[in-house]
């Protein structure tokens, strides 16, 4: 390729790379991906036209620059919280969803409920629903909040004053689910 045209193409690709890097710095994931694709297409066009050792080395260096941009783009995370802030509901707990919990998790929950036949448990509606925090209301009206990860009482102040909880499930309901899972 004629050296002047090659230099112009190389400089344009470098400008595009700088723009993509700027988008990465702004944490604009989708825009970064789109910019990267455009730069990649330009490099694919330029690569077969490179003649001589200097032009081929220049194309190779541009390829390395693109690979670094790709790595940086992969480290970007999609913006979160937008759906929740827009009114997305949390986890909806029902008996079927409760039955999806691990047997050991349910057994530890029942163990924390003790022998209180009138105890009821409410589960947290945030997170992924794998090891949800929960609170148990005992028949004497005491309320204890538990960590879903350790099944130990939560020591955080205000932990029991949350609005992100499910309706209550009785001890009987949880024991019935456990019995069905063990069959």
């Amino acid at each position: 390729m004629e050296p002047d045209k090659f230099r112009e193409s190389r400089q344009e690709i470098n400008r595009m790379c700088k723009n993509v890097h700027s988008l990465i710095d702004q944490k604009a994931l989708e825009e970064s991906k789109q910019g990267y694709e455009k730069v990649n297409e330009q490099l694919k066009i330029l690569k077969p036209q490179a003649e001589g050792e200097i032009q081929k080395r220049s194309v190779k260096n541009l390829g390395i620059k693109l690979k670094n941009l790709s790595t940086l783009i992969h480290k970007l995370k999609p913006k979160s919280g937008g759906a929740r802030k827009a009114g997305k509901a949390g986890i909806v707990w029902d008996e079927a969803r409760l039955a999806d919990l691990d047997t050991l998790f349910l057994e530890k929950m029942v163990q924390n409920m003790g022998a209180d036949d009138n105890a009821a448990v409410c589960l947290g509606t945030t997170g992924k629903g794998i090891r949800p925090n929960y609170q148990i209301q005992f028949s004497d009206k005491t309320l204890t909040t538990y960590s879903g990860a350790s099944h130990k009482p939560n020591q955080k102040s205000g932990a029991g004053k949350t609005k992100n909880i499910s309706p209550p499930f009785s001890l009987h309901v949880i024991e019935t689910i456990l019995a069905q899972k063990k069959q």
Side-chain angles (χ1 to χ4, degrees):
M1 176 178 230
E2 183 184 316
D4 288 338
K5 286 187 178 184
F6 182 84
R7 186 177 10 11
E8 287 174 18
S9 295
R10 182 179 50 81
Q11 288 173 338
E12 178 60 27
I13 290 173
N14 272 322
R15 277 192 292 277
M16 292 172 79
C17 285
K18 284 182 183 178
N19 289 339
V20 171
H21 204 287
S22 172
L23 290 169
I24 291 169
D25 289 342
Q26 296 170 16
K27 299 190 183 333
L29 178 62
E30 291 305 316
E31 294 86 351
S32 299
K33 285 181 179 178
Q34 291 169 357
Y36 173 82
E37 291 301 321
K38 289 178 185 174
V39 176
N40 202 24
E41 289 300 316
Q42 290 296 320
L43 187 60
K44 283 181 183 177
I45 293 169
L46 183 63
K47 190 173 185 175
Q49 297 177 18
E51 297 172 352
E53 185 181 331
I54 294 173
Q55 288 184 2
K56 288 181 180 178
R57 190 173 2 149
S58 183
V59 167
K60 182 179 177 184
N61 289 339
L62 287 171
I64 291 170
K65 187 179 273 193
L66 274 181
K67 185 172 176 103
N68 289 337
L69 286 176
S70 174
T71 302
L72 292 173
I73 289 171
H74 280 48
K75 289 181 180 180
L76 286 179
K77 294 180 181 159
K79 292 186 179 182
S80 63
R84 177 176 280 157
K85 290 176 186 172
K88 178 186 170 199
I91 299 168
V92 177
W93 288 102
D94 57 14
E95 289 184 30
R97 180 76 187 244
L98 202 57
D100 288 341
L101 289 172
D102 186 63
T103 305
L104 185 61
F105 184 92
L106 291 171
E107 287 171 347
K108 288 184 177 186
M109 189 186 299
V110 168
Q111 188 178 17
N112 282 336
M113 293 173 90
D116 189 344
D117 290 335
N118 295 322
V121 65
C122 298
L123 293 97
T125 58
T126 59
K128 296 180 182 176
I130 298 169
R131 294 179 299 185
N133 292 339
Y134 57 94
Q135 62 186 30
I136 299 173
Q137 172 128 22
F138 297 95
S139 57
D140 64 359
K141 303 294 182 204
T142 58
L143 183 72
T144 306
T145 305
Y146 293 89
S147 163
S150 67
H151 295 277
K152 293 184 177 164
N154 224 334
Q155 301 300 322
K156 294 179 187 172
S157 62
K161 299 174 186 168
T162 180
K163 60 184 176 202
N164 298 324
I165 59 170
S166 71
F169 294 96
S170 69
L171 176 62
H172 175 72
V173 168
I174 297 170
E175 287 177 332
T176 303
I177 291 170
L178 263 173
Q180 290 171 351
K181 288 180 79 122
K182 290 182 179 180
Q183 289 179 352

